[in-house]
Structures are given as C-alpha cells and as structure tokens.
C-alpha cells in the first residue's frame, strides 16, 4: 500500500470507529492538532470521547501516532 492509500484507509477506519464521515474525521484531526499546539483556546477537542477513539485507533495500528 502506498502512503496515500494508507492515509485514506486510516481515515476510513477512523470514520467507521467514530460512526461519522471522513470529512468530519479530517475536521476532528485538525481540531486535535490545533488544540495540541495551543492554537485553539475556545474549543478543546483533546478531552472528547472522539479524541480518545482517534488515539486508541492509532495505538492499535502501532505504526504512528495521531499527531
């Protein structure tokens, strides 16, 4: 699998695990990234159950972290 296919597969897996669309997963990942970098002060995505599912999914893949 090439890197693009791998990324798309991970996004689809996250969408399944979150029971949401790939577009919403992309938005969540951006929110998490901005929150981790302290760019966002009004909305914290890091403490949500969705963020925990994202982290857990990446942990189970064992290939990389969510960030």
């Amino acid at each position: 699998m090439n890197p693009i296919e791998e990324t798309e597969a991970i996004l689809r897996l996250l969408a399944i695990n979150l029971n949401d669309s790939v577009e919403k997963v992309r938005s969540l990942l951006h929110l998490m990234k901005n929150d981790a970098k302290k760019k966002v002060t009004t909305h914290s995505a890091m403490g949500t159950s969705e963020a925990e599912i994202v982290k857990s999914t990446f942990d189970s893949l064992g290939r990389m972290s969510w960030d």
Side-chain angles (χ1 to χ4, degrees):
M1 198 181 295
N2 70 45
I4 292 173
E5 292 171 335
E6 185 175 3
T7 300
E8 289 172 349
I10 291 169
L11 286 171
R12 286 192 302 272
L13 177 61
L14 287 167
I16 290 167
N17 288 349
L18 291 165
N19 198 28
D20 219 329
S21 68
V22 170
E23 292 77 23
K24 296 247 176 131
V25 170
R26 285 186 185 124
S27 294
L28 177 61
L29 289 170
H30 285 290
L31 283 172
M32 290 174 64
K33 177 183 168 197
N34 289 339
D35 194 38
K37 290 183 175 185
K38 305 289 187 227
K39 289 183 179 177
V40 173
T41 57
T42 59
H43 176 74
S44 178
M46 295 303 289
T48 66
S49 61
E50 291 90 357
E52 293 304 317
I53 292 170
V54 168
K55 292 175 189 176
S56 174
T57 301
F58 275 97
D59 288 346
S60 69
L61 293 172
R63 297 182 56 104
M64 64 187 87
S65 70
W66 70 269
D67 59 348

